[in-house]
Amino acid sequence: MSVDNASIESVLKETRTFDPPATFAEQANIRSEEQYNEMWQRAKDDPASFWGELATEHLHWFKPFDSVMEGKMPETNWFSGGKTNVSYNCLDRHLETDRRNKAALIWEGEPGDTRVLRYQDLHREVCRFANVLKKLGVETGDRVTLYMPMIPELTIAMLACARIGAVHSIIFGGFSADAVADRNNDAQARIVVTADGGWRRGKEVQLKAAVDAAMDKSPTVEKVVVVKRTGGDVDMVPDRDFWWHDLVEGVSAECDAVELDAEHPLFILYTSGSTGKPKGVLHTTAGYLLGATMTSQWVFDLREDDTYWCTADIGWITGHSYITYGPLSNGASVVMYEGGPNWPDEGRFWEIVEKYQVSIFYTAPTAIRAFIKWGRQWPEKHDLSSIRLLGTVGEPINPEAWMWYHEVIGQERCPIVDTWWQTETGGIMISPLPGITPTKPGSCARPLPGVVPDIVTKDGTSLEANQGGLLVMRQPWPHMLRTLHGDHDRFVSTYFSEIDGCYFAGDGARRDEDGYIWVMGRVDDVINVSGHRLSTMEVESALVSHELVAESAVVGFPHDLKGEGICCFVTLKDGSGDDELVKVLVKHVREQIGALATPDKIRFAAGLPKTRSGKIMRRLLRDIAAGRESVQDTTTLEDLSVLAALRNDEE
Ligand code: WT7
């Protein structure tokens, strides 16, 4: 999508609306339009008093803050003078209430093994592992990499880091050894916590083997802690590698939560940008936790007796904010599942919903499209009547997928919250409120209190209703990223220099006549594969790192299941490519980045379309990848024959 000062053409016209069920509204946390309007207006006009009151009421402070908010975007500082601890807020404060015996984590492994940890149990395990980290020499501010399957030890390790002020950097288990090494180095991690492996569709994902390969290139890492999960063979390097179960044996279950500054770093999470290496998004303590806590209450309408399940992996921001921190800060019961949705069969998710009587279910459009493909007979085999609320996140949801979710999973009874947010925003920004907002399939509806979005042209002019433009935030919010780890200049230039005085999200969007926001996708060279951002640049570098490749250009194209697929145009140093080389390059990219970056199409070309200044014209390639007749302007193209050759090559 190219954006200039004209608006972006929007083709989606959707007119259906669905009112929230009356019974839902009666009991909801935010239950009237007036209440929402009043909150939103107050948060906009007087953010300090709005957020200050919430922080005092909903978080535990060892020492109260002196001021709510200082500075302007991008340099904002929240709750300064205040001392708190995220792990204390998620655990200790519940132990003084009836929640101490409540299930915190309800975990199911892919093979069908289960574990339930009550709040007291989780607290005990977190304290023990925090003591282990201290024994390993981890100090406040040190970075710890977590490269783990979806098992309780991941949640335990996160909260143990937070307890002692260590900064976790979680790397999704689908990333390769090289990606782990890059992130270890960028974060200067001292410790890696991993497992022998994890289960995914009946196969073992060998995490420890990947860590071993990464260790050769990770000079800052001193020690590796390994959870025994699959029992697979692993090499343990003496004095470097330690089994989790050996380390926690006999360790005290008492460990005071460190009283940390409100702005103490909580975690780094890497996300793709359009240029260069992944960006280490840094979130801090109090503001992030307040955002995760409040948005969980507002959007998921969490109640004491809910059983809440978010199907994301904790390796993504969704899992950080809405499996661990938001729900646990609210004392909720959280379902966590290790494996694939179609193992042993396509009914696994619905079996889990029925088994644990899940009442809130949060997933991604890419998963919903897979459910549709597998057929409604799978959910229909199970009793889904416990569900009262559905959510989606990760990419725009196509209205047909929304309708299927509404009818087949929600049984026309449950509100759907389509939540727009980003790794950088820390928590949900734009979303229906389930008790009050009439929903329109495909729209994430209206901003939450404290969120002041606008849709603008490149020079910052606000656009009228139904004109597409750039989605920006005009006011800071407590849970926004504070910097990119080690590269504050890149933080400022990526998010704050595009549109004067605003945070620029990188998405195109329009607002309709009712003020509802319709997100149209990324405007930069970032593609959204299965709800996760992937930089085309990184896939290109991976390809070019192969000895036979001269140059490559990578673009997204519409893909039934993944939302966007990855199409790679490759020119070779010598000779022409064949099916064999396609396989070699696909494998090469997977090794360099990980399975989620697996190319869907690789096309060999004699040349790539470029401007006279040598810039690859990706918009032209996008049309070719999608099999569309191009109506784009080609006047700046240097060599028109290149394009003709690519078109003729189409299968
Ligand atoms: C990008 C952020 C937030 C957790 C998952 C992805 C897209 C996200 C929606 C939505 C339309 C959405 C945007 C955004 N996106 N949610 N409800 N409707 N688009 O986190 O990897 O940081 O990606 O995902 O393009 O910028 P992320």
Side-chain angles (χ1 to χ4, degrees), residues 317-318 394-396 418-423 507 519 522 531 533:
I317 189 71
T318 308
E395 58 182 305
D418 175 354
T419 63
W420 179 89
W421 58 296
Q422 309 178 291
T423 306
D507 281 355
V519 173
R522 310 279 313 163
R533 273 192 277 172

Side-chain angles (χ1 to χ4, degrees), residues 234-261:
V234 292
D235 291 330
M236 296 294 276
V237 176
D239 300 325
R240 187 196 79 183
D241 300 350
F242 303 88
W243 288 108
W244 174 297
H245 57 264
D246 288 340
L247 292 172
V248 297
E249 172 131 358
V251 169
S252 160
E254 266 167 58
C255 174
D256 283 343
V258 179
E259 303 187 6
L260 297 167
D261 286 338

Side-chain angles (χ1 to χ4, degrees), residues 69-78 263 476 480-483 488-489 491-493 496:
M69 166 186 157
E70 287 159 1
K72 282 199 306 217
M73 285 197 293
E75 317 295 340
T76 52
N77 198 322
W78 291 79
E263 285 289 357
M480 70 189 286
L481 80 166
R482 296 297 192 269
T483 190
H488 197 68
D489 290 346
F491 160 75
V492 175
S493 67
F496 301 96

Side-chain angles (χ1 to χ4, degrees), residues 139-399:
E139 290 176 10
T140 299
D142 284 348
R143 270 81 59 204
V144 176
T145 291
L146 309 179
Y147 181 61
M148 298 173 77
M150 285 285 285
I151 54 177
E153 283 77 5
L154 174 50
T155 315
I156 292 166
M158 294 169 89
L159 292 165
C161 287
R163 197 160 188 88
I164 61 171
V167 182
H168 61 69
S169 161
I170 305 185
I171 305 175
F172 171 60
F175 279 116
S176 68
D178 280 346
V180 174
D182 284 350
R183 288 159 175 74
N184 280 342
N185 288 321
D186 190 81
Q188 305 261 294
R190 291 186 57 196
I191 305 276
V192 173
V193 185
T194 188
D196 44 5
W199 294 113
R200 188 86 195 169
R201 292 193 189 102
K203 286 204 196 105
E204 186 189 1
V205 181
Q206 296 189 344
L207 297 170
K208 176 63 166 63
V211 169
D212 289 341
M215 284 302 285
D216 297 339
K217 301 175 210 157
S218 305
T220 63
V221 178
E222 297 155 28
K223 302 212 156 68
V224 179
V225 180
V226 188
V227 180
K228 197 178 213 99
R229 165 63 189 139
T230 58
D233 275 345
V234 292
D235 291 330
M236 296 294 276
V237 176
D239 300 325
R240 187 196 79 183
D241 300 350
F242 303 88
W243 288 108
W244 174 297
H245 57 264
D246 288 340
L247 292 172
V248 297
E249 172 131 358
V251 169
S252 160
E254 266 167 58
C255 174
D256 283 343
V258 179
E259 303 187 6
L260 297 167
D261 286 338
E263 285 289 357
H264 186 78
L266 177 65
F267 64 82
I268 298 169
L269 181 58
Y270 288 88
T271 187
S272 296
S274 53
T275 51
K277 57 184 170 76
K279 303 181 290 195
V281 169
L282 182 100
H283 283 287
T284 60
T285 295
Y288 170 80
L289 182 64
L290 183 63
T293 306
M294 297 320 302
T295 53
S296 296
Q297 282 181 29
W298 294 335
V299 177
F300 299 121
D301 192 49
L302 277 177
R303 294 208 305 254
E304 209 55 65
D305 60 351
D306 274 314
T307 303
Y308 166 92
W309 184 21
C310 165
T311 71
D313 192 287
I314 291 184
W316 309 112
I317 189 71
T318 308
H320 285 60
S321 301
Y322 299 111
I323 297 179
T324 301
Y325 294 119
L328 295 181
S329 170
N330 281 293
S333 292
V334 178
V335 173
M336 180 176 179
Y337 169 58
E338 175 187 30
N342 49 352
W343 190 267
D345 64 37
E346 283 72 7
R348 185 63 181 272
F349 274 16
W350 319 120
E351 185 193 313
I352 292 174
V353 166
E354 180 174 357
K355 179 169 172 188
Y356 299 108
Q357 295 285 290
V358 168
S359 57
I360 303 173
F361 181 78
Y362 190 32
T363 196
T366 182
I368 298 170
R369 289 191 295 267
F371 305 150
I372 297 174
K373 192 175 149 217
W374 297 334
R376 59 170 74 203
Q377 71 276 16
W378 294 106
E380 276 170 4
K381 280 191 195 147
H382 296 276
D383 175 14
L384 306 184
S385 61
S386 58
I387 301 180
R388 67 180 189 95
L389 175 61
L390 297 171
T392 79
V393 60
E395 58 182 305
I397 180 166
N398 32 317

Side-chain angles (χ1 to χ4, degrees), residues 381-651:
K381 280 191 195 147
H382 296 276
D383 175 14
L384 306 184
S385 61
S386 58
I387 301 180
R388 67 180 189 95
L389 175 61
L390 297 171
T392 79
V393 60
E395 58 182 305
I397 180 166
N398 32 317
E400 292 331 303
W402 195 102
M403 288 306 301
W404 189 93
Y405 199 31
H406 170 71
E407 285 166 17
V408 180
I409 308 302
Q411 302 172 344
E412 300 181 23
R413 177 188 73 239
C414 307
I416 297 179
V417 288
D418 175 354
T419 63
W420 179 89
W421 58 296
Q422 309 178 291
T423 306
E424 293 87 342
T425 69
I428 298 169
M429 301 288 280
I430 307 176
S431 169
L433 291 168
I436 62 167
T437 315
T439 46
K440 306 186 189 190
S443 168
C444 52
R446 299 178 304 197
L448 296 185
V451 175
V452 187
D454 199 359
I455 290 162
V456 300
T457 60
K458 238 185 167 171
D459 60 16
T461 316
S462 299
L463 285 162
E464 314 255 297
N466 288 318
Q467 291 192 302
L470 307 175
L471 179 60
V472 299
M473 300 298 148
R474 291 206 175 272
Q475 268 187 20
W477 62 101
H479 35 302
M480 70 189 286
L481 80 166
R482 296 297 192 269
T483 190
L484 294 176
H485 178 74
D487 200 347
H488 197 68
D489 290 346
R490 188 172 176 204
F491 160 75
V492 175
S493 67
T494 308
Y495 305 108
F496 301 96
S497 43
E498 208 71 34
I499 311 292
D500 215 27
C502 294
Y503 167 84
F504 172 48
D507 281 355
R510 78 179 159 96
R511 201 163 20 196
D512 71 14
E513 53 288 349
D514 300 322
Y516 277 48
I517 291 173
W518 300 74
V519 173
M520 294 150 69
R522 310 279 313 163
V523 297
D524 50 18
D525 287 331
V526 171
I527 48 183
N528 191 325
V529 179
S530 301
H532 298 293
R533 273 192 277 172
L534 210 64
S535 154
T536 54
M537 212 294 293
E538 284 171 81
V539 183
E540 287 164 8
S541 345
L543 284 163
V544 175
S545 74
H546 190 277
E547 54 184 9
L548 297 177
V549 175
E551 192 172 42
S552 84
V554 171
V555 296
F557 67 96
H559 188 285
D560 284 350
L561 289 180
K562 301 185 194 175
E564 278 190 283
I566 303 175
C567 178
C568 312
F569 295 89
V570 172
T571 60
L572 297 174
K573 288 180 182 153
D574 261 324
S576 56
D578 55 15
D579 288 351
E580 215 32 57
L581 187 56
V582 167
K583 282 194 201 131
V584 169
L585 292 178
V586 167
K587 184 161 168 273
H588 183 71
V589 172
R590 289 174 60 113
E591 278 163 9
Q592 297 278 309
I593 308 179
L596 78 162
T598 307
D600 296 282
K601 300 184 190 174
I602 292 195
R603 313 255 302 245
F604 297 106
L608 298 173
K610 291 186 188 167
T611 61
R612 269 163 220 129
S613 61
K615 247 179 122 180
I616 295 173
M617 297 180 74
R618 287 193 178 67
R619 59 192 170 87
L620 301 177
L621 294 175
R622 269 183 220 122
D623 287 334
I624 293 173
R628 281 190 298 258
E629 192 58 39
S630 185
V631 289
Q632 306 251 16
D633 177 19
T634 52
T635 47
T636 53
L637 189 66
E638 189 203 31
D639 180 0
L640 276 167
S641 67
V642 167
L643 200 59
L646 281 170
R647 285 225 185 84
N648 290 338
D649 279 354
E650 270 171 60
E651 308 102 319

